[in-house]
Amino acid sequence: MDKTEKLIYQYALLNAVNHKGQAHSKAVVGVIMGNHAELRKDPKKILKLSSEMVEKVNNMSLEEQKVELSKLGVQESKKEKKTQKKGLADLPRVDGEVVLRFAPNPSGPLHIGHARAACLNQEYVKHYGGKLILRVEDTDPRRVDPEAYQMIPEDLKWLKVDWQEEVIQSDRIKIYHQYAEELIGLGQAYMCTCPGDEFKTLKDRCQACPCRDQSPEENLELWKKMPEMREGEAVLRVKTDLNHKNPAIRDWVAMRIVEKEHPRIGDDFKVYPMMNFSVAVDDHLMGVTHVLRGKDHLANSEKQKYLYQHFSWKIPEFIHYGRLKMEDIALSTSQARKGIEDGVYQGWDDPRLGTIRAIARRGIMQEAIQELMLEIGVKIADSTVSWKKIYGLNRNLLEDKSNRYFAVLNPVKVEIQGLPESLKGNIERLKHPDYPDGGVRELPFDGVVYLDQEDLENNRSKVLRLMDAVNIFIGDEVTYHSASLEEARKSDARIVHWVPSSSNYQVELVMPDARISNGLIEPASHEIKVGDVVQLERVGFARLDSIKDDKLTFYYAHK
Ligand code: GLU
């Protein structure tokens, strides 16, 4: 065996050992193509060698396969390798029950960035026991989307994230007021009535503003009057270090006035906590032991530590992870919202958006997202995720379980001349080539079929094989050529999918860029249920989104 043959042999063995002694040629080819760029140049050769090796390997018993593998020095199975790679770093200083929280702002549905915090928190709770709190952080009335209160739990359920406790911060405004008052009493917070720019000038020079010297009593008096003041007239500041190297941390704002009705609690309150204040108070009160957050929150963690010190609270472990950049998705929630309002996007699940619901609609499986997030983990370095990566993970999940169907986009009706009567009839094709037990689909074949316009055009004056049916010649007319696969091979025929003209449904395929392709799909597609992800042969994986008046609408996932 040469080097390539040996490599393929090894993959075939691995695949067999992982699948009860039966290797699957397609899976083997997939792994080879995925891992060995140098072999992609000659796919035909790889295909041929793979099917030979798979045949050879499948003739051995599982025991023989294992012996062969160990002879080649391969001991670990592919699966074992994968789980090792997925291992998440341990949480630091675990001492007693682990309490974690996922704390999104309800400014819209969850997006792929949220999935990281949600999945990692979930995974740690699974690992350590303890609990996960869902805390909806809605203390900025201007950044609340009322629908988000419903969308967030829905998205978490899709992500298979379980939480044991749910808290909405707007139910707790009075608690924040109490702690603000307590902090004033401790002499660690003061009411500041300086115009913002004046305070900033002083702060940038590491100087105190005149309000900083007020006594707790004076501060309390002003604090009590805060609800009667206008927005911007006063804020409550936490005393930090005026010489702190980061000016943003110097005497940060804890409470402020917001003159806007809160979409959930109305106008009961005017004095709202800033995020850092409510987050720290809640993390303490809820006994959160480890806070997982992005490194864009580094300065916030620093700010919050002052509160812990002032109140003599135990500081939780802060774990900061790097930024997650998604290729092609630069859209923030506010940009997405604007696009929806302007009618550019159809809604939060428009395939162009990076929301969880958009990704789900496109047939990306929760497991793929989870696997991705666990792989990225909590490292501080930034990560860039490509769609290709997500598609690869998803394909691995779907390849084995998605049934296959023929759908022809841009269909052209073709009547095969000279087709022997004996070849007409129902053609049976496995729903999944690797699982004969999964059953067959029936395609009535009477010599009149729909083919993809592109397949026709690219094969002028050539022989074309209609999968599982016959070989045809594309001349001025389309004529019957031969029946067998061998004949097709001899003529170097391209093998294409087709849809019977006598029985089919209309199909619409919504692409990731929202463009729509129209076509026809084979009759067995009537058994596909909304939400199923299938493989449209030679087109790609797609999720059935809706059925209306005999028309099936799919969302395209990937090749
Ligand atoms: N609600 C805040 C956010 O989503 C909380 C962040 C945190 O403390 O982890 O940005």
Side-chain angles (χ1 to χ4, degrees):
M1 271 196 242
D2 69 19
K3 213 172 112 212
T4 311
E5 288 170 336
K6 208 165 154 188
L7 185 81
I8 298 177
Y9 181 49
Q10 184 178 316
Y11 276 118
L13 282 167
L14 259 175
N15 188 256
V17 169
N18 279 331
H19 293 92
K20 301 187 184 120
Q22 286 297 302
H24 298 294
S25 187
K26 276 202 175 158
V28 173
V29 173
V31 178
I32 294 165
M33 297 302 205
N35 291 338
H36 298 274
E38 74 281 6
L39 299 179
R40 280 181 217 139
K41 278 174 266 158
D42 197 351
K44 267 200 191 145
K45 179 175 159 199
I46 302 304
L47 266 165
K48 188 166 160 280
L49 280 176
S50 299
S51 68
E52 285 169 9
M53 294 300 174
V54 163
E55 201 178 316
K56 176 172 170 169
V57 162
N58 286 354
N59 279 327
M60 300 177 186
S61 71
L62 183 58
E63 276 328 297
E64 286 168 328
Q65 291 164 349
K66 285 184 181 165
V67 171
E68 279 294 285
L69 256 188
S70 68
K71 269 197 227 161
L72 290 169
V74 185
Q75 270 137 16
E76 288 166 285
S77 79
K78 201 174 59 181
K79 277 192 183 134
E80 277 156 2
K81 261 198 213 148
K82 252 192 190 165
T83 33
Q84 275 171 7
K85 208 170 80 192
K86 272 201 286 194
L88 265 183
D90 284 344
L91 285 177
R93 287 169 284 279
V94 172
D95 174 23
E97 195 197 20
V98 167
V99 180
L100 304 178
R101 49 44 159 209
F102 174 62
N105 300 332
S107 51
L110 300 184
H111 53 69
I112 183 103
H114 288 110
R116 183 184 198 175
C119 292
L120 292 177
N121 274 307
Q122 164 76 24
E123 194 62 22
Y124 279 124
V125 169
K126 235 198 279 167
H127 182 76
Y128 288 99
K131 70 175 172 191
L132 177 62
I133 301 167
L134 166 60
R135 193 168 71 213
V136 180
E137 308 217 312
D138 59 345
T139 54
D140 183 350
R142 292 203 172 88
R143 288 181 54 210
V144 171
D145 172 356
E147 282 176 53
Y149 294 102
Q150 208 187 321
M151 293 193 283
I152 290 172
E154 281 168 6
D155 293 341
L156 286 176
K157 281 189 190 131
W158 184 84
L159 283 166
K160 299 209 173 104
V161 170
D162 272 328
W163 58 99
Q164 287 68 48
E165 221 174 283
E166 188 167 338
V167 176
I168 300 184
Q169 285 191 320
S170 57
D171 286 336
R172 299 168 61 80
I173 306 291
K174 280 192 182 146
I175 298 176
Y176 310 127
H177 286 185
Q178 278 164 22
Y179 280 90
E181 228 169 282
E182 199 177 310
L183 197 63
I184 296 172
L186 289 168
Q188 300 292 6
Y190 59 95
M191 290 295 297
C192 178
T193 48
C194 298
D197 50 346
E198 280 176 33
F199 179 84
K200 186 177 182 304
T201 313
L202 289 167
K203 176 188 82 171
D204 288 347
R205 289 195 217 127
C206 303
Q207 286 171 356
C209 81
C211 313
R212 204 176 201 259
D213 286 337
Q214 285 153 194
S215 67
E217 293 70 30
E218 285 169 309
N219 282 320
L220 264 181
E221 205 172 304
L222 273 167
W223 162 255
K224 298 265 186 243
K225 286 191 194 136
M226 207 172 168
E228 281 97 63
M229 294 190 216
R230 303 304 311 260
E231 186 163 333
E233 260 176 29
V235 293
L236 180 74
R237 291 189 182 279
V238 180
K239 282 190 189 167
T240 66
D241 177 358
L242 286 178
N243 292 307
H244 197 289
K245 61 179 188 312
N246 180 355
I249 291 172
R250 299 175 196 157
D251 288 11
W252 52 271
V253 175
M255 306 292 289
R256 57 162 176 170
I257 300 160
V258 183
E259 290 179 307
K260 157 106 174 72
E261 192 176 306
H262 191 288
R264 182 165 172 273
I265 53 168
D267 47 18
D268 288 356
F269 298 98
K270 245 176 96 178
V271 178
Y272 283 95
M274 291 295 276
M275 187 268 274
N276 281 304
F277 191 79
S278 41
V279 160
V281 167
D282 279 349
D283 283 340
H284 167 71
L285 292 179
M286 293 166 194
V288 172
T289 56
H290 296 75
V291 172
L292 268 66
R293 52 166 65 133
K295 71 178 180 198
D296 47 323
H297 283 295
L298 271 167
N300 291 328
S301 299
E302 189 88 353
K303 286 183 184 179
Q304 292 167 24
K305 279 184 191 162
Y306 282 93
L307 277 188
Y308 285 90
Q309 280 154 9
H310 294 329
F311 284 119
S312 308
W313 291 339
K314 184 175 185 295
I315 301 178
E317 293 294 331
F318 294 119
I319 299 147
H320 298 98
Y321 47 74
R323 288 204 307 156
L324 184 70
K325 281 176 260 170
M326 255 314 281
E327 178 194 76
D328 288 346
I329 296 185
L331 281 177
S332 65
T333 299
S334 55
Q335 281 171 303
R337 175 186 310 287
K338 187 166 183 313
I340 295 169
E341 279 163 9
D342 294 348
V344 180
Y345 305 122
Q346 295 146 11
W348 288 111
D349 54 3
D350 186 288
R352 289 162 287 186
L353 297 179
T355 57
I356 297 299
R357 48 198 59 219
I359 289 169
R361 194 172 194 190
R362 287 173 53 178
I364 306 294
M365 312 300 281
Q366 175 271 338
E367 291 88 342
I369 299 299
Q370 177 170 335
E371 218 174 293
L372 175 73
M373 296 308 167
L374 296 188
E375 205 177 290
I376 300 172
V378 283
K379 61 174 181 270
I380 189 97
D382 293 346
S383 316
T384 305
V385 174
S386 64
W387 278 110
K388 207 167 132 210
K389 169 83 193 170
I390 297 182
Y391 295 164
L393 291 169
N394 207 49
R395 193 177 300 114
N396 283 345
L397 294 163
L398 292 173
E399 198 109 63
D400 238 19
K401 59 180 177 207
S402 293
N403 284 338
R404 320 228 168 147
Y405 297 90
F406 288 161
V408 168
L409 304 171
N410 305 315
V412 179
K413 197 173 188 173
V414 164
E415 211 174 322
I416 305 164
Q417 304 297 322
L419 178 74
E421 269 316 299
S422 60
L423 294 176
K424 294 182 182 174
N426 275 349
I427 285 178
E428 289 191 342
R429 193 168 161 81
L430 286 177
K431 286 183 193 169
H432 194 297
D434 298 341
Y435 301 105
D437 293 350
V440 292
R441 330 128 36 185
E442 283 194 352
L443 292 108
F445 180 63
D446 62 2
V448 189
V449 295
Y450 282 100
L451 297 184
D452 193 306
Q453 192 179 5
E454 214 173 294
D455 282 335
L456 264 186
E457 272 165 21
N458 293 342
N459 290 284
R460 294 266 162 230
S461 311
K462 285 188 192 154
V463 178
L464 206 55
R465 175 162 183 81
L466 308 188
M467 279 188 203
D468 283 353
V470 297
N471 310 321
I472 56 179
F473 179 77
I474 316 294
D476 291 338
E477 286 194 311
V478 173
T479 49
Y480 170 73
H481 178 274
S482 49
S484 70
L485 184 58
E486 286 66 45
E487 283 291 334
R489 290 224 170 104
K490 267 191 234 156
S491 315
D492 219 4
R494 193 162 200 133
I495 303 177
V496 302
H497 61 296
W498 51 279
V499 165
S501 84
S502 59
S503 177
N504 55 54
Y505 294 102
Q506 283 186 51
V507 72
E508 178 179 81
L509 189 59
V510 182
M511 302 306 287
D513 62 5
R515 264 186 307 185
I516 296 176
S517 297
N518 284 291
L520 296 167
I521 188 164
E522 63 169 273
S525 62
H526 75 84
E527 67 197 8
I528 308 172
K529 289 194 266 325
V530 169
D532 286 353
V533 184
V534 299
Q535 187 173 2
L536 303 176
E537 300 200 49
R538 296 182 68 234
V539 176
F541 290 93
R543 180 186 152 279
L544 182 59
D545 193 69
S546 63
I547 307 172
K548 213 166 113 197
D549 306 330
D550 271 3
K551 184 184 201 168
L552 286 77
T553 298
F554 286 87
Y555 272 58
Y556 186 75
H558 46 77
K559 260 278 177 213

